[in-house]
Amino acid sequence: MTHHLLGVGGTYPLLLALWLLPLAGAVVCWAFGPQLGRLAGWLVAGLVAASFVLAALSWGAATQNAAGMLGANQRLVAWMPGFDFGLLLDPLSLIWTFIITGVGFLIVFYSLGYMEGDGAFARFFAYMSFFVFAMLTLVLSDNFVGLLVGWGLVGLASYFLIGFWFERPSAVAAARKAFVINVVGDAGMMFAIFLIFAKVHSIGFGDAFAAAGTFAPALLFGVCATLTIGAAAKSAQVPLHTWLPDAMEGPTPVSALIHAATMVTAGVYLVARCAPLWNHSPQAQLLVGAVGGVTALIGAVLGTAQWDIKRILAYSTMSQIGYMIMAVGVGAYEGGISLFFTHAFFKAQLFLGAGLVIHALNNEQDVRRMGGLWKRMPFAFWVMLTAVLAITGVPPFSGFFSKDEVIYGDLQFGHPALFAISALTAGITSYYMFRLLFLAFLGEYRGEVEHGHAPGWTMNVPVAILVAPSVAIGGALMSGGESAPWARFFAPQFGAEMAAVAHRPPAISEGMTSVIVFALVIIGFIIAWWRYATTEAKRDAVPRLAGETAHMPVVLTNLFYVDAAIDLVFVRSAQFLGNFFGRMLDPHVLDGAVRDVAFWARWLGAVVRSFQTGLVRAYALILVFGATSFIVYYTFATYGMRH
């Protein structure tokens, strides 16, 4: 892989337009939002769609492989040796660009109906367009500093969008929490870049990856570990995951764009982009794989304890991103990226489908107050059903093929423990996702909203479009093993890494792992059906759900106490130090020292001033006293030297 990143196959000016169009939309909406009104949404949708078209037209440039140089670039700034800034479009960044602009367009279009009537309509679309620009900056940069700039801009844009309804204290708190935790990841990224530059004297990907084999093992592990901090914060991996469920305070399209399809997958992109570094550090691979595996399992377990439909999907996202991080961490790059690709479709479909329900029920999000919606909202039911079948990995839906690559990849790369975690997580995912479906759509309606807002065509059409890739894109692109279109597409970028495992085949075949995982999915479905969809469960739904809530294990209701631990170790300790400095050190030591200096200066000034009497005899007396003192001192000093 390394030699493909040492250069690119020629400049490609079209990249500049692809990158800047969303920024133009954001600037125009910020500047002329009140004048544009509803046209602001159509403008942003059109510009994001134009970026998608430019990305599609760039397919040939991104996949060209001439003289060992993969992709195309556009140089932006040549500052000093080692500090060149530009844009790089290769197969990896092209896939992310397709999702950012393609799925992003569908979500922006959906927002036209969802946000209709909001008093800050134009501001919302300015934020959405700015976010798309920030994500494109992140994935198209050809150097670490450009990636870091995009990384920070994405955090800023997510802060704006999560706290969009800033009149809600909970939204402001959620936005602040997401921003602070993401800054922790930014610090890790910066430290890694410092280490890389100190070693190779360049910020370019190609220079750093070409020198990966020359890093001392401890230094390379330090680079990868600090990059992992950045990936964990942005992609909501344990223990930096606590911002993601709270971020559901933002509008539902924000959840679909940021927390399903794009931002939270930035950590996956980072590890895949820096594959040459991880390939030279098995310890770092194990670290990332373990973080991803633990996150996948914990996210799934926490998903079983939620009642808010968006929080269920948030923990589902956390779990699925854990799968992706685990896969790219252990070296199964194609598997991790394939799950990213299919997940973008079916998770966006889940969030937007949930948005249809929330919109129709006047912002009701508690699944315990739903039920029977398949009669009232048949379109939403079929949308959610197909997406649930995809995310749980039921064949022939797309999630089956991508998740199968991830889980089998654990065995291919010699991690049977991660395979066991992945398989178990698949069963738990089946349970809580079908639980959501049964509670929301089966049985009798348990809510209070009889006549809500019927979703319009601008909301229904994007969701309907997402159904097709959720159902069929996995089989179309990923079936067929090494001859599959997906494998051939990434062969120039990750072919060497995938070939490295050919000499250590797993003990069981891929078909057998698929059977094992599918059996666990069926078990999860059966348990969910037995608890929430049988005639008896539907008849006693209201009192039984109330009792289930009351008897929920305390460790789950407190989310494994991760928030509490962070609050105790970091928040309260910072508050204690702040109080100590503010109430003790600052007023009594620092301010006290300043007051003491002023007191002694005044006292000494008063003493010296007392000598200034204006009387000649007083000055003569002082001179006589001074002269006498000198005579006495030197007399005794001379006597002492003689004796």
Side-chain angles (χ1 to χ4, degrees), residues 29 36-47 108-109 112 121-122 125:
C29 287
L36 289 171
R38 184 172 170 79
L39 288 177
W42 289 97
L43 173 67
V44 170
L47 291 175
V108 169
F109 195 85
L112 292 171
F121 187 84
F125 285 95

Side-chain angles (χ1 to χ4, degrees), residues 199-254:
K199 174 65 178 178
V200 301
H201 305 294
S202 173
I203 61 171
F205 288 149
D207 294 331
F209 299 158
T214 67
F215 280 69
L219 176 61
L220 186 57
F221 179 79
V223 169
C224 293
T226 46
L227 287 175
T228 300
I229 296 173
K234 196 70 76 183
S235 292
Q237 301 295 285
V238 173
L240 301 176
H241 66 280
T242 58
W243 65 269
L244 183 60
D246 293 348
M248 297 301 108
E249 290 289 339
T252 299
V254 172

Side-chain angles (χ1 to χ4, degrees), residues 417-441:
L418 293 179
F419 165 76
I421 291 174
S422 301
L424 177 61
T425 301
I428 300 173
T429 301
S430 175
Y431 165 73
Y432 72 79
M433 289 307 301
F434 280 107
R435 168 182 176 264
L436 181 157
L437 188 72
F438 297 153
L439 284 173
F441 290 95

Side-chain angles (χ1 to χ4, degrees), residues 309 353 357 370-375 377-382 384-385 436-444 446:
I309 189 170
V357 173
M370 299 179 187
L373 295 181
W374 73 274
K375 302 174 187 176
M377 306 181 66
F379 175 71
F381 169 70
W382 288 107
M384 295 295 284
L385 175 61
L436 181 157
L437 188 72
F438 297 153
L439 284 173
F441 290 95
L442 300 187
E444 298 298 324
R446 300 178 296 274

